[in-house]
Amino acid sequence: ITFRENRWYCAEVISQRSFGLGSYRWRVSNLFPEGELDANVVLGLFTWSDRPEFAHREIDVAVARWGKKELQSNSQFVIQPYIPSGHLKRFTTSSVANVTHGFTWKEDG
């Protein structure tokens, strides 16, 4: 990710393959190169389906302040839809050199 000529630029990775249930882990190096994440930057790591009847099967790990620099917590785990109790958990990711986030997606029961 870089900010150049008053615009943000970044990469996006989309798999052609559906991975389904299982463990998902992302290791990110140098997440906070300037000491803290800019309030307007979002790192989104998530599952996704184009099928809205399953809430797009979206499970998110997001590192962001959503444009609000004053927010103390800069990260969240979310199961969509986020409105039901327990579907959103905010926390703080520290500015260490390497960060690993993940979750295990299991069937209900």
Side-chain angles (χ1 to χ4, degrees):
I1 185 168
T2 188
F3 187 73
R4 190 173 57 241
E5 298 173 8
N6 211 30
R7 286 190 69 177
W8 286 103
Y9 295 88
C10 67
E12 179 178 31
V13 177
I14 300 173
S15 177
Q16 297 273 328
R17 180 177 162 220
S18 175
F19 296 99
L21 302 175
S23 293
Y24 290 75
R25 303 268 181 273
W26 294 273
R27 182 173 183 192
V28 182
S29 298
N30 204 21
L31 182 58
F32 301 99
E34 304 298 321
E36 72 176 64
L37 193 65
D38 186 280
N40 296 305
V41 172
V42 176
L43 170 64
L45 310 166
F46 53 90
T47 62
W48 177 261
S49 167
D50 288 326
R51 297 180 64 185
E53 67 270 24
F54 292 112
H56 301 288
R57 293 186 188 242
E58 186 176 351
I59 305 170
D60 303 304
V61 178
V63 179
R65 287 207 165 99
W66 310 108
K68 300 175 183 172
K69 190 171 179 70
E70 69 278 4
L71 283 180
Q72 295 301 308
S73 56
N74 62 2
S75 302
Q76 63 188 31
F77 287 119
V78 182
I79 300 170
Q80 298 294 352
Y82 69 90
I83 295 170
S85 179
H87 278 213
L88 185 139
K89 172 68 175 155
R90 297 221 19 107
F91 60 97
T92 300
T93 297
S94 65
S95 58
V96 296
N98 298 306
V99 176
T100 301
H101 288 298
F103 59 85
T104 300
W105 181 11
K106 299 178 183 180
E107 288 188 50
D108 289 343

Coordinates of all heavy atoms in Angstrom, one line a residue, residues 55-89:
A55 N -25.6 -14.5 3.4 CA -24.9 -13.3 3.8 C -23.5 -13.2 3.2 O -22.5 -12.8 3.8 CB -24.8 -13.2 5.3
H56 N -23.4 -13.7 2.0 CA -22.2 -13.7 1.2 C -21.1 -14.6 1.9 O -19.9 -14.5 1.5 CB -21.7 -12.3 0.9 CG -22.7 -11.5 0.1 ND1 -22.9 -11.8 -1.2 CD2 -23.5 -10.5 0.5 CE1 -23.8 -10.9 -1.7 NE2 -24.2 -10.1 -0.6
R57 N -21.5 -15.4 2.9 CA -20.5 -16.2 3.6 C -19.3 -15.4 4.0 O -18.1 -15.8 4.0 CB -20.1 -17.4 2.8 CG -21.3 -18.4 2.6 CD -20.8 -19.6 2.0 NE -22.0 -20.4 1.7 CZ -22.2 -21.7 2.1 NH1 -21.4 -22.2 3.0 NH2 -23.3 -22.3 1.8
E58 N -19.5 -14.2 4.5 CA -18.4 -13.3 4.8 C -18.0 -13.4 6.2 O -18.8 -13.2 7.1 CB -18.8 -11.8 4.4 CG -17.7 -10.9 4.6 CD -18.1 -9.5 4.1 OE1 -19.2 -9.3 3.6 OE2 -17.3 -8.6 4.4
I59 N -16.7 -13.6 6.4 CA -16.1 -13.6 7.8 C -14.9 -12.7 7.6 O -14.1 -12.9 6.7 CB -15.7 -15.0 8.2 CG1 -16.9 -15.9 8.2 CG2 -15.0 -14.9 9.6 CD1 -16.5 -17.4 8.5
D60 N -14.8 -11.6 8.4 CA -13.8 -10.6 8.2 C -12.8 -10.5 9.4 O -13.2 -10.6 10.5 CB -14.4 -9.2 8.1 CG -15.4 -9.1 7.1 OD1 -15.1 -9.3 5.9 OD2 -16.6 -8.7 7.4
V61 N -11.5 -10.2 9.0 CA -10.6 -9.7 9.9 C -10.2 -8.4 9.3 O -9.8 -8.3 8.1 CB -9.3 -10.6 10.0 CG1 -8.3 -9.9 10.9 CG2 -9.6 -12.0 10.4
A62 N -10.4 -7.3 10.0 CA -10.2 -5.9 9.5 C -9.3 -5.2 10.4 O -9.5 -5.2 11.6 CB -11.4 -5.2 9.2
V63 N -8.2 -4.5 9.9 CA -7.4 -3.6 10.7 C -7.7 -2.3 10.1 O -7.4 -2.0 8.9 CB -5.9 -4.0 10.5 CG1 -5.1 -3.0 11.3 CG2 -5.7 -5.4 11.0
A64 N -8.4 -1.4 10.9 CA -8.8 -0.1 10.4 C -9.3 0.8 11.5 O -9.7 0.3 12.6 CB -10.0 -0.3 9.4
R65 N -9.3 2.1 11.3 CA -9.9 3.0 12.2 C -11.1 3.7 11.5 O -11.7 4.6 12.1 CB -8.9 4.1 12.6 CG -7.9 3.5 13.6 CD -7.3 4.7 14.5 NE -6.6 4.1 15.6 CZ -5.3 4.0 15.7 NH1 -4.5 4.4 14.7 NH2 -4.8 3.5 16.7
W66 N -11.4 3.3 10.3 CA -12.6 3.7 9.6 C -12.7 5.2 9.5 O -13.8 5.8 9.7 CB -13.9 3.1 10.3 CG -13.8 1.6 10.5 CD1 -13.6 1.0 11.6 CD2 -13.7 0.6 9.4 NE1 -13.5 -0.4 11.4 CE2 -13.5 -0.6 10.1 CE3 -13.8 0.6 8.1 CZ2 -13.5 -1.8 9.4 CZ3 -13.7 -0.6 7.4 CH2 -13.6 -1.8 8.0
G67 N -11.6 5.9 9.3 CA -11.6 7.3 9.2 C -11.6 8.1 10.5 O -11.6 9.3 10.5
K68 N -11.6 7.4 11.6 CA -11.6 8.0 12.9 C -10.3 7.8 13.7 O -10.2 6.8 14.4 CB -12.8 7.5 13.7 CG -14.1 7.7 13.0 CD -15.3 7.0 13.7 CE -16.6 7.2 12.9 NZ -17.6 6.4 13.5
K69 N -9.4 8.7 13.6 CA -8.1 8.6 14.2 C -8.2 8.4 15.7 O -7.3 7.8 16.3 CB -7.2 9.8 13.9 CG -5.8 9.7 14.3 CD -5.0 10.8 13.7 CE -3.5 10.7 14.2 NZ -2.8 9.7 13.6
E70 N -9.2 8.9 16.3 CA -9.4 8.9 17.8 C -9.8 7.5 18.3 O -9.7 7.2 19.5 CB -10.4 9.9 18.3 CG -11.9 9.6 17.9 CD -12.3 10.0 16.5 OE1 -11.4 10.5 15.7 OE2 -13.4 9.9 16.1
L71 N -10.2 6.5 17.4 CA -10.5 5.2 17.9 C -9.3 4.5 18.5 O -8.2 4.5 17.9 CB -11.0 4.3 16.7 CG -12.5 4.6 16.2 CD1 -12.8 3.6 15.1 CD2 -13.4 4.4 17.4
Q72 N -9.5 3.9 19.7 CA -8.4 3.2 20.3 C -8.2 1.8 19.7 O -7.1 1.4 19.5 CB -8.6 3.1 21.8 CG -8.6 4.5 22.5 CD -7.3 5.2 22.3 OE1 -6.2 4.6 22.6 NE2 -7.3 6.4 21.9
S73 N -9.3 1.1 19.5 CA -9.2 -0.2 18.9 C -9.1 0.0 17.3 O -9.9 0.7 16.8 CB -10.4 -1.1 19.3 OG -11.6 -0.4 18.9
N74 N -8.1 -0.7 16.8 CA -7.9 -0.5 15.3 C -8.2 -1.8 14.5 O -7.8 -1.9 13.4 CB -6.5 0.0 15.1 CG -5.4 -1.0 15.5 OD1 -5.7 -2.1 16.0 ND2 -4.2 -0.6 15.4
S75 N -8.8 -2.8 15.1 CA -9.0 -4.1 14.4 C -10.4 -4.7 14.9 O -10.9 -4.3 15.9 CB -7.9 -5.1 14.8 OG -6.7 -4.5 14.5
Q76 N -10.9 -5.6 14.0 CA -12.1 -6.3 14.4 C -12.2 -7.6 13.7 O -11.7 -7.8 12.6 CB -13.3 -5.4 14.1 CG -13.5 -5.1 12.6 CD -14.6 -4.1 12.4 OE1 -14.9 -3.2 13.3 NE2 -15.3 -4.1 11.3
F77 N -12.9 -8.5 14.3 CA -13.4 -9.8 13.7 C -14.9 -9.6 13.6 O -15.6 -9.1 14.5 CB -13.1 -11.0 14.7 CG -11.7 -11.4 14.8 CD1 -11.1 -11.4 16.0 CD2 -11.0 -11.9 13.7 CE1 -9.7 -11.8 16.1 CE2 -9.7 -12.3 13.8 CZ -9.1 -12.3 15.0
V78 N -15.4 -10.0 12.4 CA -16.8 -9.8 12.1 C -17.3 -11.1 11.3 O -16.7 -11.5 10.4 CB -17.1 -8.6 11.2 CG1 -18.6 -8.4 11.0 CG2 -16.5 -7.4 11.8
I79 N -18.5 -11.5 11.8 CA -19.3 -12.5 11.0 C -20.5 -11.8 10.5 O -21.2 -11.2 11.2 CB -19.7 -13.7 11.9 CG1 -18.5 -14.4 12.5 CG2 -20.6 -14.6 11.1 CD1 -18.9 -15.4 13.5
Q80 N -20.6 -11.7 9.2 CA -21.8 -11.0 8.6 C -23.0 -11.9 8.6 O -22.9 -13.1 8.4 CB -21.4 -10.6 7.1 CG -20.2 -9.7 7.1 CD -20.5 -8.3 7.7 OE1 -21.6 -7.9 8.1 NE2 -19.4 -7.5 7.8
P81 N -24.2 -11.2 8.8 CA -24.4 -9.8 9.1 C -23.8 -9.5 10.5 O -23.9 -10.3 11.4 CB -25.9 -9.6 9.0 CG -26.5 -11.0 9.3 CD -25.5 -12.0 8.8
Y82 N -23.3 -8.3 10.7 CA -22.6 -7.9 11.9 C -23.6 -7.5 13.1 O -23.1 -7.4 14.2 CB -21.6 -6.8 11.7 CG -22.3 -5.5 11.3 CD1 -22.7 -4.6 12.3 CD2 -22.6 -5.1 10.0 CE1 -23.3 -3.4 12.0 CE2 -23.2 -3.9 9.7 CZ -23.6 -3.1 10.7 OH -24.2 -1.9 10.4
I83 N -24.8 -7.3 12.8 CA -25.8 -6.8 13.8 C -26.1 -7.7 14.9 O -26.1 -7.3 16.1 CB -27.1 -6.3 13.1 CG1 -26.7 -5.1 12.2 CG2 -28.1 -5.9 14.1 CD1 -27.9 -4.7 11.2
P84 N -26.3 -9.1 14.7 CA -26.6 -9.9 15.9 C -25.5 -9.9 16.9 O -24.3 -9.8 16.6 CB -26.7 -11.3 15.3 CG -27.0 -11.1 13.8 CD -26.3 -9.8 13.5
S85 N -25.9 -9.9 18.2 CA -24.9 -9.9 19.3 C -23.9 -11.0 19.1 O -24.2 -12.1 18.8 CB -25.7 -10.1 20.6 OG -24.8 -10.1 21.7
G86 N -22.6 -10.6 19.3 CA -21.5 -11.6 19.2 C -20.9 -11.7 17.9 O -19.9 -12.4 17.7
H87 N -21.5 -11.0 16.9 CA -20.9 -11.1 15.5 C -19.8 -10.1 15.2 O -19.1 -10.2 14.2 CB -22.0 -10.8 14.5 CG -22.8 -12.1 14.2 ND1 -23.4 -12.3 13.0 CD2 -23.2 -13.1 15.0 CE1 -24.0 -13.5 13.0 NE2 -23.9 -13.9 14.3
L88 N -19.5 -9.1 16.1 CA -18.5 -8.2 15.9 C -17.7 -8.0 17.2 O -18.2 -7.8 18.3 CB -19.1 -6.8 15.6 CG -18.0 -5.7 15.2 CD1 -18.5 -4.9 14.0 CD2 -17.8 -4.8 16.4
K89 N -16.4 -8.2 17.1 CA -15.5 -8.0 18.3 C -14.3 -7.1 17.9 O -13.5 -7.4 17.0 CB -14.9 -9.4 18.7 CG -13.8 -9.4 19.7 CD -14.4 -9.0 21.0 CE -13.3 -9.1 22.1 NZ -13.5 -8.2 23.2

